[in-house]
């Protein structure tokens, strides 16, 4: 009964050079409070813009889907909406598809922003048609996905995009209680000379105040200072709002959840307990190479696994389609099989991150994982399976199911 609406938290994703950064810059200049156009000092991985009608929107300025999925892998649901930037002259590219897969796996609503509409050779209809292949049906074609045409460099259509974001967030009906002790998630953390551990925190529930005793992951501290995205000191932070927090004794990881604790002794106790637990689990994973299918089943919340998620990488497009077609038929009443992502090329770190976030296994057909991906899979406990015969692959999946 005490909940009031909070601003939506939006991640901007898309292919390299499709205009994510210029869009964020243009949006930052529409901020009515900043007063100065351009060149606003940006030293924080998230910022909030204020609109004329006193509404606010929070943007996460994270490097795309990598950060999005690594936070999800840690169980943090940070984003309410994803704005997918697609360049009108370039169309849908591999990273665009990856961003779509990440957003869909996280069940986060997508708003499509078709950028660079002023460029020569831009074909907006083709993009809308191409999105159909990835289960994104825009409103023009009878779907539910909002699609806005913009030009970040010419500042065209930005108000329409902000309207679409506010409309979508109304549908989501985002509310939070801001009178309780704060809880939220760490977006990034770094050590700075002279300032100690500097953490960008996004408050999801409650009110964060100066002097609060905070526990984030395995670290704790008393809040010495709170700064907004313009480096201005503030005394309290409300849900949906990002801030820089100073005063932690150590540096937590991005994606760690934080909470406010009543006393320093209790905070220290929780921090010690978590550190001990972390050391134990690291020792266990070092002694036993995880990643077996059995492990995955016992880990999926200790319940009977009813969904098997897989990620397919193959040497040619035909193989991806053939494998996908063969194994999707295997779904039964008890176990459904979900293909998260299928693509051509070797297995890379991004694939491992997506698999970890969605508790999936990776199937490589005539391709291998690169060194970084192998290392990451070992640390994260993601199962890699290699095949060169499609029947072996199908039989293995059958037996797993």
């Amino acid at each position: 009964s005490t909940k009031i609406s909070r601003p939506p938290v939006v991640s901007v994703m898309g292919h390299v050079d499709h205009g994510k950064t210029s869009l964020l810059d243009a949006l930052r200049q529409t901020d009515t409070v900043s007063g100065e156009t351009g060149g606003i000092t940006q030293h924080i991985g998230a910022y909030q813009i204020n609109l004329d009608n006193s509404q606010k929107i929070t943007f996460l300025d994270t490097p795309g889907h990598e950060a999005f999925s690594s936070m999800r892998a840690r169980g943090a649901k940070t984003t309410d909406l994803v704005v997918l930037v697609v360049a009108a002259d370039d169309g849908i590219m591999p990273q665009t598809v990856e961003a779509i897969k990440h957003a869909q796996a996280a069940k986060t609503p997508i708003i499509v922003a078709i950028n660079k509409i002023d460029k020569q050779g831009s074909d907006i209809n083709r993009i809308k048609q191409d999105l159909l292949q990835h289960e994104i049906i825009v409103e023009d074609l009878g779907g539910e996905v909002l699609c806005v045409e913009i030009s970040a460099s010419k500042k065209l259509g930005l108000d329409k995009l902000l309207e679409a974001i506010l409309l979508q967030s109304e549908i989501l009906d985002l509310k939070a209680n801001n009178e309780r002790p704060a809880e939220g998630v760490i977006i990034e953390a770094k050590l700075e000379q002279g300032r100690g551990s500097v953490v960008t925190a996004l408050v999801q529930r409650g009110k964060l105040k100066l002097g609060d005793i905070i526990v984030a992951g395995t670290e704790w501290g008393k809040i010495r200072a709170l700064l907004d995205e313009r480096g201005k000191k503030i005394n309290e932070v409300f849900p949906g709002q990002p801030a820089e927090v100073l005063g932690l004794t150590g540096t937590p990881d991005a994606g760690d959840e934080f909470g406010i604790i009543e006393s320093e002794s209790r905070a220290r106790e929780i921090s010690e307990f978590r550190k001990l637990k972390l050391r134990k689990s690291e020792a266990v994973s070092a002694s036993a190479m995880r990643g077996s299918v059995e492990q995955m089943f016992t880990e999926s919340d200790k319940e009977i696994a009813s969904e098997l998620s897989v990620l397919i990488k193959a040497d040619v497009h035909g193989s991806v389609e053939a494998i996908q077609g063969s194994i999707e038929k295997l779904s039964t009443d008890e176990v459904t099989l979900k293909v998260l992502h299928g693509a051509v090329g070797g297995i890379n770190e991004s694939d491992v991150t997506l698999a970890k976030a969605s508790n999936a296994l990776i199937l490589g057909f005539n391709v291998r994982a690169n060194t970084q991906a192998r290392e990451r899979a070992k640390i994260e406990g993601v199962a890699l399976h290699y095949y060169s015969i499609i029947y072996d692959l199908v039989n293995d999946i059958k037996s797993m199911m």
Side-chain angles (χ1 to χ4, degrees), residues 282-324:
E282 278 172 355
V284 168
S285 63
S287 64
M289 174 51 197
R290 309 197 324 284
S292 66
V293 178
E294 293 87 345
Q295 183 86 17
M296 187 178 112
F297 289 150
T298 52
E299 274 178 11
S300 64
D301 295 338
K302 304 282 183 279
E303 60 190 41
I304 303 298
S306 58
E307 183 175 83
L308 178 62
S309 301
V310 297
L311 202 140
I312 305 165
K313 291 302 278 279
D315 51 346
V316 290
H317 193 75
S319 303
V320 177
E321 286 186 341
I323 292 166
Q324 210 163 335

mmCIF file of all heavy atoms in Angstrom, residues 282-324:
data_model
loop_
_atom_site.group_PDB
_atom_site.id
_atom_site.type_symbol
_atom_site.label_atom_id
_atom_site.label_comp_id
_atom_site.label_asym_id
_atom_site.label_seq_id
_atom_site.Cartn_x
_atom_site.Cartn_y
_atom_site.Cartn_z
ATOM 1 N N GLU A 282 35.162 -21.612 -3.831
ATOM 2 C CA GLU A 282 36.286 -21.551 -4.783
ATOM 3 C C GLU A 282 37.157 -22.792 -4.646
ATOM 4 O O GLU A 282 37.626 -23.350 -5.628
ATOM 5 C CB GLU A 282 37.117 -20.282 -4.557
ATOM 6 C CG GLU A 282 36.499 -19.073 -5.240
ATOM 7 C CD GLU A 282 37.176 -17.771 -4.875
ATOM 8 O OE1 GLU A 282 38.077 -17.778 -4.005
ATOM 9 O OE2 GLU A 282 36.796 -16.742 -5.459
ATOM 10 N N ALA A 283 37.348 -23.226 -3.400
ATOM 11 C CA ALA A 283 38.166 -24.421 -3.167
ATOM 12 C C ALA A 283 37.502 -25.648 -3.769
ATOM 13 O O ALA A 283 38.156 -26.495 -4.399
ATOM 14 C CB ALA A 283 38.363 -24.624 -1.669
ATOM 15 N N VAL A 284 36.189 -25.728 -3.607
ATOM 16 C CA VAL A 284 35.457 -26.877 -4.148
ATOM 17 C C VAL A 284 35.542 -26.901 -5.663
ATOM 18 O O VAL A 284 35.840 -27.922 -6.272
ATOM 19 C CB VAL A 284 33.968 -26.833 -3.702
ATOM 20 C CG1 VAL A 284 33.143 -27.840 -4.471
ATOM 21 C CG2 VAL A 284 33.863 -27.115 -2.215
ATOM 22 N N SER A 285 35.345 -25.724 -6.280
ATOM 23 C CA SER A 285 35.334 -25.715 -7.747
ATOM 24 C C SER A 285 36.726 -25.971 -8.306
ATOM 25 O O SER A 285 36.874 -26.482 -9.405
ATOM 26 C CB SER A 285 34.782 -24.397 -8.273
ATOM 27 O OG SER A 285 35.612 -23.348 -7.886
ATOM 28 N N ALA A 286 37.738 -25.603 -7.540
ATOM 29 C CA ALA A 286 39.097 -25.877 -8.024
ATOM 30 C C ALA A 286 39.382 -27.374 -7.982
ATOM 31 O O ALA A 286 40.055 -27.919 -8.845
ATOM 32 C CB ALA A 286 40.103 -25.126 -7.174
ATOM 33 N N SER A 287 38.865 -28.057 -6.934
ATOM 34 C CA SER A 287 39.193 -29.480 -6.791
ATOM 35 C C SER A 287 38.374 -30.338 -7.747
ATOM 36 O O SER A 287 38.836 -31.357 -8.221
ATOM 37 C CB SER A 287 38.949 -29.933 -5.362
ATOM 38 O OG SER A 287 37.580 -29.814 -5.062
ATOM 39 N N ALA A 288 37.134 -29.940 -8.016
ATOM 40 C CA ALA A 288 36.314 -30.761 -8.908
ATOM 41 C C ALA A 288 35.914 -29.921 -10.107
ATOM 42 O O ALA A 288 35.300 -28.889 -9.960
ATOM 43 C CB ALA A 288 35.066 -31.230 -8.173
ATOM 44 N N MET A 289 36.293 -30.355 -11.289
ATOM 45 C CA MET A 289 35.931 -29.610 -12.490
ATOM 46 C C MET A 289 34.430 -29.761 -12.712
ATOM 47 O O MET A 289 33.940 -30.831 -13.016
ATOM 48 C CB MET A 289 36.741 -30.157 -13.675
ATOM 49 C CG MET A 289 36.375 -29.581 -15.015
ATOM 50 S SD MET A 289 36.362 -27.786 -15.010
ATOM 51 C CE MET A 289 35.445 -27.476 -16.494
ATOM 52 N N ARG A 290 33.711 -28.601 -12.535
ATOM 53 C CA ARG A 290 32.268 -28.681 -12.682
ATOM 54 C C ARG A 290 31.902 -28.666 -14.159
ATOM 55 O O ARG A 290 32.757 -28.767 -15.021
ATOM 56 C CB ARG A 290 31.597 -27.462 -12.016
ATOM 57 C CG ARG A 290 32.071 -27.281 -10.639
ATOM 58 C CD ARG A 290 31.244 -26.410 -9.742
ATOM 59 N NE ARG A 290 30.585 -25.263 -10.295
ATOM 60 C CZ ARG A 290 31.202 -24.139 -10.604
ATOM 61 N NH1 ARG A 290 32.504 -24.049 -10.453
ATOM 62 N NH2 ARG A 290 30.535 -23.116 -11.058
ATOM 63 N N GLY A 291 30.620 -28.543 -14.398
ATOM 64 C CA GLY A 291 30.208 -28.388 -15.786
ATOM 65 C C GLY A 291 29.576 -29.632 -16.347
ATOM 66 O O GLY A 291 29.230 -29.695 -17.508
ATOM 67 N N SER A 292 29.441 -30.683 -15.525
ATOM 68 C CA SER A 292 28.787 -31.866 -16.060
ATOM 69 C C SER A 292 27.291 -31.595 -16.105
ATOM 70 O O SER A 292 26.769 -30.740 -15.412
ATOM 71 C CB SER A 292 29.055 -33.065 -15.166
ATOM 72 O OG SER A 292 28.431 -32.845 -13.917
ATOM 73 N N VAL A 293 26.607 -32.354 -16.934
ATOM 74 C CA VAL A 293 25.161 -32.164 -17.086
ATOM 75 C C VAL A 293 24.447 -32.451 -15.774
ATOM 76 O O VAL A 293 23.528 -31.751 -15.377
ATOM 77 C CB VAL A 293 24.644 -33.087 -18.198
ATOM 78 C CG1 VAL A 293 23.153 -32.942 -18.352
ATOM 79 C CG2 VAL A 293 25.321 -32.742 -19.508
ATOM 80 N N GLU A 294 24.922 -33.491 -15.069
ATOM 81 C CA GLU A 294 24.292 -33.849 -13.780
ATOM 82 C C GLU A 294 24.345 -32.646 -12.839
ATOM 83 O O GLU A 294 23.378 -32.325 -12.165
ATOM 84 C CB GLU A 294 25.023 -35.022 -13.106
ATOM 85 C CG GLU A 294 24.893 -36.347 -13.854
ATOM 86 C CD GLU A 294 25.950 -36.525 -14.924
ATOM 87 O OE1 GLU A 294 26.604 -35.524 -15.286
ATOM 88 O OE2 GLU A 294 26.118 -37.653 -15.408
ATOM 89 N N GLN A 295 25.516 -32.000 -12.843
ATOM 90 C CA GLN A 295 25.696 -30.823 -11.985
ATOM 91 C C GLN A 295 24.661 -29.759 -12.321
ATOM 92 O O GLN A 295 24.048 -29.174 -11.459
ATOM 93 C CB GLN A 295 27.099 -30.260 -12.246
ATOM 94 C CG GLN A 295 27.462 -29.085 -11.385
ATOM 95 C CD GLN A 295 28.024 -29.539 -10.062
ATOM 96 O OE1 GLN A 295 28.421 -30.677 -9.909
ATOM 97 N NE2 GLN A 295 28.017 -28.648 -9.090
ATOM 98 N N MET A 296 24.475 -29.574 -13.622
ATOM 99 C CA MET A 296 23.559 -28.531 -14.056
ATOM 100 C C MET A 296 22.151 -28.817 -13.542
ATOM 101 O O MET A 296 21.425 -27.928 -13.117
ATOM 102 C CB MET A 296 23.551 -28.475 -15.573
ATOM 103 C CG MET A 296 22.779 -27.322 -16.147
ATOM 104 S SD MET A 296 22.903 -27.358 -17.914
ATOM 105 C CE MET A 296 21.235 -27.740 -18.340
ATOM 106 N N PHE A 297 21.775 -30.096 -13.574
ATOM 107 C CA PHE A 297 20.432 -30.445 -13.123
ATOM 108 C C PHE A 297 20.289 -30.267 -11.621
ATOM 109 O O PHE A 297 19.284 -29.790 -11.136
ATOM 110 C CB PHE A 297 20.086 -31.878 -13.506
ATOM 111 C CG PHE A 297 19.865 -32.033 -14.977
ATOM 112 C CD1 PHE A 297 20.144 -33.210 -15.634
ATOM 113 C CD2 PHE A 297 19.379 -30.961 -15.715
ATOM 114 C CE1 PHE A 297 19.950 -33.324 -17.001
ATOM 115 C CE2 PHE A 297 19.180 -31.063 -17.086
ATOM 116 C CZ PHE A 297 19.462 -32.256 -17.730
ATOM 117 N N THR A 298 21.345 -30.633 -10.871
ATOM 118 C CA THR A 298 21.209 -30.481 -9.416
ATOM 119 C C THR A 298 21.198 -29.004 -9.069
ATOM 120 O O THR A 298 20.577 -28.600 -8.116
ATOM 121 C CB THR A 298 22.371 -31.147 -8.666
ATOM 122 O OG1 THR A 298 23.590 -30.667 -9.225
ATOM 123 C CG2 THR A 298 22.314 -32.650 -8.782
ATOM 124 N N GLU A 299 21.880 -28.204 -9.902
ATOM 125 C CA GLU A 299 21.954 -26.782 -9.569
ATOM 126 C C GLU A 299 20.702 -26.013 -9.943
ATOM 127 O O GLU A 299 20.435 -24.967 -9.416
ATOM 128 C CB GLU A 299 23.153 -26.127 -10.268
ATOM 129 C CG GLU A 299 24.411 -26.267 -9.451
ATOM 130 C CD GLU A 299 25.600 -25.679 -10.156
ATOM 131 O OE1 GLU A 299 25.414 -24.988 -11.162
ATOM 132 O OE2 GLU A 299 26.724 -25.911 -9.682
ATOM 133 N N SER A 300 19.918 -26.533 -10.898
ATOM 134 C CA SER A 300 18.773 -25.727 -11.331
ATOM 135 C C SER A 300 17.721 -25.729 -10.234
ATOM 136 O O SER A 300 16.723 -26.423 -10.294
ATOM 137 C CB SER A 300 18.204 -26.213 -12.660
ATOM 138 O OG SER A 300 17.707 -27.515 -12.498
ATOM 139 N N ASP A 301 18.080 -24.966 -9.192
ATOM 140 C CA ASP A 301 17.182 -24.742 -8.050
ATOM 141 C C ASP A 301 16.725 -26.021 -7.379
ATOM 142 O O ASP A 301 15.666 -26.069 -6.776
ATOM 143 C CB ASP A 301 15.950 -23.935 -8.483
ATOM 144 C CG ASP A 301 16.362 -22.554 -8.926
ATOM 145 O OD1 ASP A 301 17.432 -22.102 -8.519
ATOM 146 O OD2 ASP A 301 15.616 -21.952 -9.680
ATOM 147 N N LYS A 302 17.516 -27.072 -7.517
ATOM 148 C CA LYS A 302 17.233 -28.336 -6.842
ATOM 149 C C LYS A 302 15.857 -28.911 -7.203
ATOM 150 O O LYS A 302 15.360 -29.819 -6.575
ATOM 151 C CB LYS A 302 17.295 -28.169 -5.298
ATOM 152 C CG LYS A 302 18.620 -27.616 -4.811
ATOM 153 C CD LYS A 302 19.694 -28.683 -4.778
ATOM 154 C CE LYS A 302 20.996 -28.181 -4.240
ATOM 155 N NZ LYS A 302 21.824 -27.445 -5.183
ATOM 156 N N GLU A 303 15.241 -28.346 -8.247
ATOM 157 C CA GLU A 303 13.937 -28.899 -8.614
ATOM 158 C C GLU A 303 14.148 -29.777 -9.830
ATOM 159 O O GLU A 303 15.225 -29.828 -10.406
ATOM 160 C CB GLU A 303 12.958 -27.767 -8.927
ATOM 161 C CG GLU A 303 13.439 -26.913 -10.066
ATOM 162 C CD GLU A 303 12.596 -25.652 -10.223
ATOM 163 O OE1 GLU A 303 12.231 -25.026 -9.214
ATOM 164 O OE2 GLU A 303 12.306 -25.312 -11.370
ATOM 165 N N ILE A 304 13.124 -30.510 -10.234
ATOM 166 C CA ILE A 304 13.272 -31.342 -11.422
ATOM 167 C C ILE A 304 13.396 -30.405 -12.622
ATOM 168 O O ILE A 304 12.532 -29.564 -12.858
ATOM 169 C CB ILE A 304 12.021 -32.242 -11.598
ATOM 170 C CG1 ILE A 304 11.792 -33.103 -10.355
ATOM 171 C CG2 ILE A 304 12.141 -33.088 -12.842
ATOM 172 C CD1 ILE A 304 12.902 -34.058 -10.035
ATOM 173 N N ALA A 305 14.498 -30.555 -13.358
ATOM 174 C CA ALA A 305 14.692 -29.664 -14.495
ATOM 175 C C ALA A 305 13.638 -29.980 -15.542
ATOM 176 O O ALA A 305 13.528 -31.106 -15.996
ATOM 177 C CB ALA A 305 16.081 -29.872 -15.077
ATOM 178 N N SER A 306 12.860 -28.972 -15.914
ATOM 179 C CA SER A 306 11.811 -29.244 -16.897
ATOM 180 C C SER A 306 12.128 -28.541 -18.208
ATOM 181 O O SER A 306 11.398 -28.624 -19.159
ATOM 182 C CB SER A 306 10.465 -28.765 -16.365
ATOM 183 O OG SER A 306 10.554 -27.398 -16.091
ATOM 184 N N GLU A 307 13.254 -27.810 -18.211
ATOM 185 C CA GLU A 307 13.631 -27.135 -19.448
ATOM 186 C C GLU A 307 15.125 -27.314 -19.653
ATOM 187 O O GLU A 307 15.911 -27.124 -18.739
ATOM 188 C CB GLU A 307 13.298 -25.646 -19.345
ATOM 189 C CG GLU A 307 13.605 -24.907 -20.615
ATOM 190 C CD GLU A 307 13.163 -23.445 -20.557
ATOM 191 O OE1 GLU A 307 13.905 -22.618 -20.020
ATOM 192 O OE2 GLU A 307 12.058 -23.160 -21.055
ATOM 193 N N LEU A 308 15.491 -27.752 -20.845
ATOM 194 C CA LEU A 308 16.907 -27.877 -21.179
ATOM 195 C C LEU A 308 17.226 -26.776 -22.181
ATOM 196 O O LEU A 308 16.634 -26.718 -23.251
ATOM 197 C CB LEU A 308 17.163 -29.258 -21.788
ATOM 198 C CG LEU A 308 18.585 -29.549 -22.247
ATOM 199 C CD1 LEU A 308 19.559 -29.504 -21.081
ATOM 200 C CD2 LEU A 308 18.678 -30.913 -22.914
ATOM 201 N N SER A 309 18.107 -25.848 -21.779
ATOM 202 C CA SER A 309 18.463 -24.750 -22.685
ATOM 203 C C SER A 309 19.810 -25.044 -23.327
ATOM 204 O O SER A 309 20.744 -25.457 -22.640
ATOM 205 C CB SER A 309 18.563 -23.439 -21.911
ATOM 206 O OG SER A 309 17.341 -23.165 -21.282
ATOM 207 N N VAL A 310 19.900 -24.823 -24.621
ATOM 208 C CA VAL A 310 21.177 -25.047 -25.304
ATOM 209 C C VAL A 310 21.511 -23.853 -26.197
ATOM 210 O O VAL A 310 20.639 -23.083 -26.588
ATOM 211 C CB VAL A 310 21.157 -26.327 -26.180
ATOM 212 C CG1 VAL A 310 20.958 -27.560 -25.345
ATOM 213 C CG2 VAL A 310 20.109 -26.246 -27.269
ATOM 214 N N LEU A 311 22.803 -23.753 -26.489
ATOM 215 C CA LEU A 311 23.307 -22.689 -27.340
ATOM 216 C C LEU A 311 24.130 -23.387 -28.420
ATOM 217 O O LEU A 311 25.002 -24.197 -28.086
ATOM 218 C CB LEU A 311 24.188 -21.811 -26.467
ATOM 219 C CG LEU A 311 24.442 -20.389 -26.885
ATOM 220 C CD1 LEU A 311 24.407 -19.505 -25.659
ATOM 221 C CD2 LEU A 311 25.805 -20.307 -27.510
ATOM 222 N N ILE A 312 23.831 -23.136 -29.681
ATOM 223 C CA ILE A 312 24.490 -23.886 -30.761
ATOM 224 C C ILE A 312 25.456 -22.990 -31.525
ATOM 225 O O ILE A 312 25.092 -21.903 -31.951
ATOM 226 C CB ILE A 312 23.435 -24.425 -31.764
ATOM 227 C CG1 ILE A 312 22.377 -25.260 -31.038
ATOM 228 C CG2 ILE A 312 24.093 -25.232 -32.867
ATOM 229 C CD1 ILE A 312 21.134 -25.513 -31.863
ATOM 230 N N LYS A 313 26.689 -23.466 -31.707
ATOM 231 C CA LYS A 313 27.626 -22.776 -32.601
ATOM 232 C C LYS A 313 28.117 -23.817 -33.615
ATOM 233 O O LYS A 313 28.487 -24.926 -33.218
ATOM 234 C CB LYS A 313 28.827 -22.218 -31.811
ATOM 235 C CG LYS A 313 28.490 -21.060 -30.880
ATOM 236 C CD LYS A 313 27.870 -19.845 -31.551
ATOM 237 C CE LYS A 313 28.804 -18.886 -32.212
ATOM 238 N NZ LYS A 313 29.490 -17.915 -31.393
ATOM 239 N N ALA A 314 28.113 -23.469 -34.894
ATOM 240 C CA ALA A 314 28.550 -24.428 -35.910
ATOM 241 C C ALA A 314 29.395 -23.722 -36.963
ATOM 242 O O ALA A 314 29.518 -22.501 -36.958
ATOM 243 C CB ALA A 314 27.333 -25.087 -36.552
ATOM 244 N N ASP A 315 29.978 -24.539 -37.858
ATOM 245 C CA ASP A 315 30.890 -23.964 -38.853
ATOM 246 C C ASP A 315 30.141 -23.344 -40.032
ATOM 247 O O ASP A 315 30.619 -22.419 -40.664
ATOM 248 C CB ASP A 315 31.874 -25.023 -39.347
ATOM 249 C CG ASP A 315 31.164 -26.303 -39.804
ATOM 250 O OD1 ASP A 315 29.957 -26.456 -39.476
ATOM 251 O OD2 ASP A 315 31.796 -27.136 -40.472
ATOM 252 N N VAL A 316 28.948 -23.864 -40.341
ATOM 253 C CA VAL A 316 28.187 -23.287 -41.459
ATOM 254 C C VAL A 316 26.731 -23.085 -41.050
ATOM 255 O O VAL A 316 26.224 -23.754 -40.153
ATOM 256 C CB VAL A 316 28.240 -24.180 -42.731
ATOM 257 C CG1 VAL A 316 29.613 -24.162 -43.349
ATOM 258 C CG2 VAL A 316 27.810 -25.602 -42.413
ATOM 259 N N HIS A 317 26.080 -22.162 -41.736
ATOM 260 C CA HIS A 317 24.714 -21.802 -41.368
ATOM 261 C C HIS A 317 23.762 -22.995 -41.504
ATOM 262 O O HIS A 317 22.864 -23.199 -40.691
ATOM 263 C CB HIS A 317 24.244 -20.645 -42.249
ATOM 264 C CG HIS A 317 22.988 -20.015 -41.750
ATOM 265 N ND1 HIS A 317 22.965 -19.191 -40.652
ATOM 266 C CD2 HIS A 317 21.696 -20.142 -42.161
ATOM 267 C CE1 HIS A 317 21.718 -18.822 -40.412
ATOM 268 N NE2 HIS A 317 20.932 -19.376 -41.304
ATOM 269 N N GLY A 318 23.992 -23.801 -42.545
ATOM 270 C CA GLY A 318 23.137 -24.965 -42.789
ATOM 271 C C GLY A 318 23.108 -25.902 -41.591
ATOM 272 O O GLY A 318 22.056 -26.427 -41.207
ATOM 273 N N SER A 319 24.297 -26.098 -40.982
ATOM 274 C CA SER A 319 24.381 -27.005 -39.826
ATOM 275 C C SER A 319 23.563 -26.465 -38.660
ATOM 276 O O SER A 319 22.868 -27.209 -37.977
ATOM 277 C CB SER A 319 25.825 -27.172 -39.369
ATOM 278 O OG SER A 319 26.608 -27.634 -40.434
ATOM 279 N N VAL A 320 23.670 -25.131 -38.428
ATOM 280 C CA VAL A 320 22.926 -24.531 -37.311
ATOM 281 C C VAL A 320 21.444 -24.827 -37.484
ATOM 282 O O VAL A 320 20.754 -25.283 -36.563
ATOM 283 C CB VAL A 320 23.134 -22.992 -37.248
ATOM 284 C CG1 VAL A 320 22.306 -22.387 -36.128
ATOM 285 C CG2 VAL A 320 24.604 -22.675 -37.033
ATOM 286 N N GLU A 321 20.946 -24.602 -38.725
ATOM 287 C CA GLU A 321 19.515 -24.806 -38.984
ATOM 288 C C GLU A 321 19.131 -26.263 -38.819
ATOM 289 O O GLU A 321 18.096 -26.582 -38.232
ATOM 290 C CB GLU A 321 19.170 -24.317 -40.391
ATOM 291 C CG GLU A 321 19.149 -22.803 -40.465
ATOM 292 C CD GLU A 321 18.661 -22.283 -41.807
ATOM 293 O OE1 GLU A 321 18.680 -23.056 -42.782
ATOM 294 O OE2 GLU A 321 18.267 -21.120 -41.876
ATOM 295 N N ALA A 322 19.981 -27.160 -39.341
ATOM 296 C CA ALA A 322 19.673 -28.591 -39.275
ATOM 297 C C ALA A 322 19.616 -29.063 -37.824
ATOM 298 O O ALA A 322 18.697 -29.770 -37.409
ATOM 299 C CB ALA A 322 20.723 -29.377 -40.046
ATOM 300 N N ILE A 323 20.608 -28.610 -37.020
ATOM 301 C CA ILE A 323 20.659 -29.035 -35.608
ATOM 302 C C ILE A 323 19.448 -28.486 -34.866
ATOM 303 O O ILE A 323 18.772 -29.202 -34.129
ATOM 304 C CB ILE A 323 21.974 -28.553 -34.951
ATOM 305 C CG1 ILE A 323 23.167 -29.288 -35.561
ATOM 306 C CG2 ILE A 323 21.940 -28.772 -33.439
ATOM 307 C CD1 ILE A 323 24.510 -28.687 -35.248
ATOM 308 N N GLN A 324 19.173 -27.217 -35.112
ATOM 309 C CA GLN A 324 18.049 -26.587 -34.434
ATOM 310 C C GLN A 324 16.749 -27.327 -34.767
ATOM 311 O O GLN A 324 15.957 -27.649 -33.882
ATOM 312 C CB GLN A 324 17.942 -25.122 -34.883
ATOM 313 C CG GLN A 324 17.375 -24.226 -33.829
ATOM 314 C CD GLN A 324 17.659 -22.744 -34.112
ATOM 315 O OE1 GLN A 324 18.620 -22.413 -34.788
ATOM 316 N NE2 GLN A 324 16.823 -21.869 -33.597
#
